Amino acid sequence: MTQQNQAVEMRRAVLRADGGAPTGDNTPQGGMRLAVMGVGAVGRSVAELAGEYGHDVTALADSGGAVVDAEGIDVDAALESKDRTGTVADNAHTEAALAADYDVLVEVTPTTLGDAQPGFSHVEAALKRDRHVVLANKGPVAERFRDLVARQR
């Protein structure tokens, strides 16, 4: 299996976390509400594939801003904005995504060694709200494992 195929399978595994299979359309069928922090290759793929697995992306954030909608954002429009302007939105802060209605935070920002930011702060905010967290970013675990364990339920 190529490295690219492995990456796609990892992204799909994240989206199958509830045991669901692709629905074949973008209609949520009891799926999860996702807040995706980071819009690189993995974050973009999670956002693009979420609907196929019955999930709604209710927040999508990059370092320049955030798109938030409790009913589900227009992922295509947000990614088009990212391609055109370099950010998903320039009218909202990342904090808006963390305060959004979501069940699972998908943390895929770049890894920062030393302080594990901004990933650690994102995970901490989600755990304080009793939300599930999926990490593709190893920084918070590698650098701040004890702090994360202390913040669990």
Side-chain angles (χ1 to χ4, degrees), residues 96-116:
L98 294 171
D101 289 329
Y102 64 88
D103 303 308
V104 179
L105 174 74
V106 181
E107 165 46 54
V108 290
T109 59
T111 298
T112 304
L113 298 178
D115 65 1

Side-chain angles (χ1 to χ4, degrees), residues 25-40:
D25 62 22
N26 289 333
T27 306
Q29 298 179 3
M32 297 177 286
R33 297 170 301 157
L34 308 178
V36 181
M37 303 298 289
V39 190

Side-chain angles (χ1 to χ4, degrees), residues 62 67 75-90:
D62 61 20
V67 179
V75 171
D76 291 336
L79 294 178
E80 181 181 316
S81 174
K82 176 76 172 175
D83 293 340
R84 192 177 64 255
T85 68
T87 184
V88 294
D90 60 5

Side-chain angles (χ1 to χ4, degrees), residues 14 24 43-45 47 53 61 67 69 79 94 102 105 111 132 141 145:
V14 166
R44 175 181 285 268
S45 294
Y53 290 85
V67 179
D69 186 335
L79 294 178
T94 304
Y102 64 88
L105 174 74
T111 298
H132 299 283
V141 175
F145 178 75

